[in-house]
Amino acid sequence: MDGLRALAVFPVVLYHAGIAGFGGGFVGVDVFFVISGYLMAAVIIGEL
């Protein structure tokens, strides 16, 4: 599960590093929140 979060954070890190082609750092943040919400919901549903 943490691998998915790392995948979402990676574009943000590249954006801050100034790598060309990663100008949309906010997209990575949005993806991170969506994946985190999905994973948290899956854990909560699994616990119920």
Side-chain angles (χ1 to χ4, degrees):
M1 290 189 190
D2 289 334
L4 288 175
R5 290 184 192 160
L7 221 105
V9 170
F10 190 64
V12 178
V13 172
L14 293 177
Y15 166 75
H16 286 291
I19 307 295
F22 289 93
F26 294 110
V27 173
V29 174
D30 291 342
V31 171
F32 172 78
F33 283 126
V34 169
I35 290 173
S36 292
Y38 169 76
L39 294 175
M40 286 188 284
V43 169
I44 290 171
I45 290 171
E47 292 289 325
L48 291 177

